[in-house]
Amino acid sequence: AQSVTQLGSHVSVSEGALVLLRCNYSSSVPPYLFWYVQYPNQGLQLLLKYTSAATLVKGINGFEAEFKKSETSFHLTKPSAHMSDAAEYFCAVSSYRLGGSQGNLIFGKGTKLSVKP
Amino acid sequence: DGGITQSPKYLFRKEGQNVTLSCEQNLNHDAMYWYRQDPGQGLRLIYYSQIVNDFQKGDIAEGYSVSREKKESFPLTVTSAQKNPTAFYLCASSTDSRTYEQYFGPGTRLTVT
């Protein structure tokens, strides 16, 4: 079974500082991994995804993530935080269901990022 | 523009009433999903549907019902049997049967008093 753990429910950084949001996954098969961002009272927007091509994945708004199989991690980073990055971030892994039925995504509990001026 | 619409944005109901949340997509996606979001809980899957006239229970289906009569539409009914219906509800769709990448609607915030 697949699962996702996001370390830290809240992360606070200063504007211009490095952003690091942690995600570890568990999967018995090669995983597909995603990072989504959610602004208050809105839906989720895809930031980036790992689909077994390059291990360093670049996304929108200057974010990137590196897939590390040995560490079962897919941490999200951004070199310099902006005030507009304040939001909640969700890591997700594809979940496969037996018998050929439709799979879905398993989401972590989310990390709220605050950016201080 | 293609996308997913959910209406209304905010919904208020009295306890004991059933309420139906709308989800429509014009992305021509086969699969659709309903999630419930509570603070600190992440997203929990309620129901999903791979094709028209077929749907499966997710992890927290009790107290909810769905229908999939058209490819574009996947309405969710929150019944009076749902003990804690107040939450933010998100609808999503997917066309990727390999990765299950999902596109999300803007959500409906349901408050039951």
Side-chain angles (χ1 to χ4, degrees), chain B:
Chain B
D1 284 337
I4 302 175
T5 57
Q6 292 186 244
S7 60
K9 180 68 174 175
Y10 298 94
L11 192 52
F12 298 88
R13 282 292 183 270
K14 294 291 187 184
E15 192 173 330
Q17 294 179 335
N18 291 355
V19 59
T20 297
L21 281 60
S22 169
C23 177
E24 304 278 332
Q25 55 102 356
N26 60 4
L27 300 167
N28 200 33
H29 286 176
D30 289 315
M32 296 187 73
Y33 307 80
W34 273 105
Y35 293 91
R36 171 182 171 135
Q37 186 177 22
D38 297 282
Q41 296 293 316
L43 278 69
R44 293 183 289 171
L45 183 65
I46 305 173
Y47 269 98
Y48 63 102
S49 168
Q50 187 175 3
I51 56 173
V52 174
N53 293 324
D54 185 53
F55 47 82
Q56 287 81 40
K57 292 181 179 180
D59 301 317
I60 56 164
E62 185 175 351
Y64 299 97
S65 66
V66 294
S67 62
R68 187 87 186 275
E69 298 176 359
K70 299 186 299 182
K71 187 175 185 177
E72 312 82 59
S73 179
F74 191 41
L76 173 75
T77 296
V78 184
T79 75
S80 56
Q82 168 51 232
K83 297 192 185 312
N84 296 298
T86 295
F88 190 53
Y89 291 88
L90 287 161
C91 179
S93 70
S94 174
T95 192
D96 192 328
S97 59
R98 183 175 67 102
T99 71
Y100 307 117
E101 175 182 341
Q102 292 175 17
Y103 297 81
F104 284 81
T108 291
R109 185 166 297 280
L110 173 65
T111 302
V112 177
T113 58

